[in-house]
Amino acid sequence: MSDPKPRIVMLVHNSVKGDSRVQKQARSIAGLGWDVTLVGTSPDRRTYEGTIGDAAVILIPLPVGIHQRPHEFRRGTFRDPLAYPPGPTANWKRQHLDARRADLGAAKAEAAITAEGRGLRWAALQARRVGFKLESKWTGLRLRRSEALQRERTRMSSPIDRFTTAFWKRAMGDRAWRRLDPDLWRYELAFGNTIDRLEPDLIHANDFAVLGVGARAALRARAAGRDVKLVWDAHEYLPGIRPWRDHPRWHPAQIAHEREYAPYADAVVTVSEALGELLRRDFALAEPPAVVLNAPSGARGPVAADGQLVVRSRKTGERLWAPEESDEPAAVPSLRGRCGIGPEVPLMVYSGGDSPQRGLDSMIRALRSLPGVHAAFVLPDGSRYAPGLRELALELGVDERVHFAPYVEYYQVAEHLAEADLGVIPIHHWPNHEIALITKFFEYSHARLPIAVSDVKAMSEAVLATGQGEVFRADDPADLARAVEAILADPERYRKAYEGPADLDAWTWERQAEILDGVYRRVLGR
């Protein structure tokens, strides 16, 4: 009788759909013979279950409440005694005033149309109006003070806020994240019991937010007599990222959390050698982390429906994500068709996440110096940044040459982008941007696109070494326009790099999956 498949639980802090790395991990590792369950967060309050290829998928809702920091639900007695206490009181007071105002208006109207309108009833009504006006002013003052206190607590820039942040960091060390950002506990409350029930042999924690969840689950299993291993997949250099949340305690909390639980990892995986060296230095790792690039699949063509992400509500069976009901795999959408332009129109494309540090506004500003050139932005659904980009394009008079399209499936990206003339990576200088070849770099490469990249270290060096594109100064639309003009003048010169210097075979997920498979086997002694 053959040994049972080793059980792998992969953890991720998102709802899987937009994360190509974890989808590729789960699907490919399950295809290599491991028993894989991918656990992520639900996009709503329901639990979903499904599959991606041979891997199981579970999406669990995060609980609400514990994400609040303790000071957020305390009264501001000393900071602002006029403010209402946290909770529903302020909103109730505001609505109660509106109701009183409506009631008083009705009484005034009734008095005006009755014979008693000028007697004692009218005098009583005037007294009510005076009382209401005084109460309105008092309540309005307290509401304004409540809003001001809320803003101060959000900014946390006052001397007392800075003092308490420093105090907890000094008093608790790396454990201070419990006070600075208890939101991290939500992943434990959501995932902990599920991990224990699955009884994995190995836990793969993707990124920093779920590292603690994986470490604590491994400790519980070992205490129960099961030797569970932990692999930490570091997607980002945490000290060098732009904070995901605009709160002064978020970043130090994440760093402290990562430092506390990094020593529990039996192996570390990351996305670049440069990031691996930083992790080895910061955490005194015994050996360099294994580098697993977030490269696209080398296989082209449609993916069968049974290999795609399918999740349904555990309770009702309602479909959240699933391929179209068809015997044929879905065709790759046409990028130019989505933009409504023909093959003769010069087209540059950006595909990926949207945030200010991505520098997407530089592409729109560059269009003023690029007559006839169009720009396509392939962004996640519900992009918060897209409306501002549209406004900027309208303001600059280039809106007819700017197009937006939602993501396609991760296995369709390279083929989808191949209709463009070049891909653009206009990211700004942040420490985390300097050290890795990011996902879109590989996607553009597999689409055989010339690349215009800002002068961030790793990618600009790669582009100059291979000759697959041009480098421009970050946050410089004029220099971006120069790079685009150079590429459009002779695109085949840059595409030739994919026949030689650019090693597309090494930049495939199939090669990366072999590396990850080797990490698992080594850690488990198989």
Side-chain angles (χ1 to χ4, degrees):
M1 188 174 179
S2 62
D3 293 335
K5 293 181 180 180
R7 291 184 296 273
I8 310 296
V9 169
M10 295 180 176
L11 306 177
V12 65
H13 60 82
N14 57 43
S15 55
V16 175
K17 178 68 172 175
D19 194 324
S20 64
R21 185 177 179 87
V22 298
Q23 291 188 65
K24 288 180 292 192
Q25 283 175 354
R27 185 166 175 261
S28 60
I29 292 299
L32 290 172
W34 303 85
D35 181 355
V36 176
T37 301
L38 174 58
V39 180
T41 62
S42 170
D44 53 40
R45 304 308 307 156
R46 291 176 288 184
T47 297
Y48 295 90
E49 293 180 343
T51 58
I52 180 168
D54 294 327
V57 179
I58 305 175
L59 304 182
I60 304 171
L62 294 175
V64 296
I66 198 170
H67 64 285
Q68 287 187 286
R69 297 168 179 84
H71 71 271
E72 293 175 356
F73 48 81
R74 293 197 190 109
R75 292 191 67 118
T77 305
F78 297 106
R79 297 182 62 153
D80 200 328
L82 291 181
Y84 287 113
T89 304
N91 191 47
W92 186 91
K93 286 285 188 181
R94 185 180 288 107
Q95 294 185 21
H96 185 64
L97 269 184
D98 291 340
R100 293 273 307 281
R101 184 175 292 107
D103 188 38
L104 190 59
K108 180 181 176 182
E110 184 180 11
I113 62 176
T114 62
E116 302 173 355
R118 294 297 175 184
L120 293 175
R121 185 175 179 181
W122 181 260
L125 180 60
Q126 298 311 305
R128 282 180 62 189
R129 292 180 63 192
V130 171
F132 177 76
K133 185 172 291 187
L134 293 173
E135 182 181 357
S136 295
K137 290 184 176 298
W138 173 246
T139 303
L141 173 62
R142 296 197 65 183
L143 288 171
R144 289 192 296 275
R145 298 314 311 158
S146 300
E147 292 167 356
L149 178 60
Q150 180 61 39
R151 288 194 297 271
E152 289 177 13
R153 282 176 162 170
T154 300
R155 289 194 299 263
M156 296 210 72
S157 57
S158 69
I160 187 63
D161 290 323
R162 293 195 296 271
F163 169 78
T164 54
T165 299
F167 171 80
W168 290 120
K169 289 168 67 176
R170 178 63 64 87
M172 298 181 70
D174 289 341
R175 294 172 54 83
W177 64 267
R178 294 162 172 80
R179 298 289 306 202
L180 301 181
D181 189 19
D183 181 68
L184 285 161
W185 279 121
R186 296 209 290 165
Y187 300 103
E188 175 67 38
L189 300 183
F191 297 167
N193 290 338
T194 297
I195 301 171
D196 295 344
R197 175 176 56 80
L198 292 170
E199 295 189 344
D201 298 292
L202 183 147
I203 299 170
H204 182 145
N206 280 283
D207 228 345
F208 52 87
V210 293
L211 175 60
V213 181
R216 290 186 293 268
L219 288 172
R220 290 193 300 272
R222 292 168 190 171
R226 293 186 298 108
D227 186 18
V228 175
K229 302 300 184 182
L230 175 65
V231 171
W232 171 32
D233 192 339
H235 299 184
E236 312 268 6
Y237 182 56
L238 186 53
I241 69 170
R242 177 169 177 161
W244 294 356
R245 296 182 186 171
D246 187 18
H247 192 287
R249 286 186 171 182
W250 184 88
H251 203 197
Q254 312 311 307
I255 292 173
H257 173 264
E258 184 178 77
R259 278 200 306 256
E260 178 177 352
Y261 290 109
Y264 292 93
D266 297 286
V268 181
V269 173
T270 193
V271 297
S272 74
E273 290 185 6
L275 176 51
E277 285 302 313
L278 292 172
L279 295 173
R280 187 178 187 183
R281 179 200 69 188
D282 290 357
F283 299 107
L285 302 178
E287 59 186 26
V291 176
V292 177
L293 303 173
N294 195 20
S297 173
R300 287 297 188 93
V303 172
D306 59 3
Q308 299 178 37
L309 177 64
V310 181
V311 290
R312 299 178 184 274
S313 167
R314 174 188 286 176
K315 187 174 183 180
T316 67
E318 179 184 352
R319 184 177 76 175
L320 175 64
W321 297 312
E324 295 297 326
E325 303 292 343
S326 172
D327 294 333
E328 297 294 329
V332 178
S334 165
L335 177 62
R336 288 181 177 269
R338 286 171 142 191
C339 297
I341 59 176
E344 75 288 350
V345 177
L347 178 64
M348 60 178 175
V349 67
Y350 171 90
S351 174
D354 61 330
S355 56
Q357 66 267 28
R358 309 278 180 157
L360 307 190
D361 61 308
S362 292
M363 291 177 63
I364 293 177
R365 296 181 193 280
L367 289 176
R368 291 180 297 178
S369 304
L370 296 167
V373 176
H374 287 233
F377 296 92
V378 182
L379 304 177
D381 289 336
S383 165
R384 292 181 296 175
Y385 198 38
L389 294 175
R390 286 191 175 94
E391 290 179 9
L392 177 62
L394 187 62
E395 176 187 330
L396 298 179
V398 297
D399 51 297
E400 293 185 355
R401 294 188 283 134
V402 175
H403 313 278
F404 295 89
Y407 277 177
V408 296
E409 299 292 348
Y410 72 90
Y411 48 82
Q412 298 177 324
V413 173
E415 191 172 351
H416 180 60
L417 300 179
E419 291 187 352
D421 293 296
L422 72 151
V424 184
I425 305 176
I427 57 177
H428 294 170
H429 287 290
W430 282 82
N432 205 52
H433 290 168
E434 308 287 344
I435 59 178
L437 303 181
I438 60 179
T439 305
K440 63 181 63 59
F441 178 88
F442 298 119
E443 291 169 341
Y444 293 169
S445 298
H446 278 268
R448 271 66 172 182
L449 293 181
I451 299 175
V453 63
S454 63
D455 54 349
V456 291
K457 187 174 189 301
M459 283 186 289
S460 64
E461 290 177 352
V463 163
L464 293 175
T466 61
Q468 67 191 107
E470 290 284 338
V471 176
F472 61 91
R473 289 185 297 273
D475 201 18
D476 187 337
D479 203 36
L480 169 56
R482 174 201 56 78
V484 171
E485 285 180 330
I487 291 172
L488 292 176
D490 188 6
E492 292 309 311
R493 166 192 164 196
Y494 302 95
R495 292 182 189 272
K496 286 180 180 178
Y498 299 117
E499 300 171 5
D503 189 358
L504 293 182
D505 288 336
W507 294 346
T508 62
W509 181 256
E510 288 77 10
R511 191 77 65 86
Q512 309 312 308
E514 293 173 3
I515 297 171
L516 186 57
D517 178 73
V519 172
Y520 287 178
R521 293 182 181 279
R522 177 174 57 80
V523 168
L524 291 173
R526 294 176 182 263

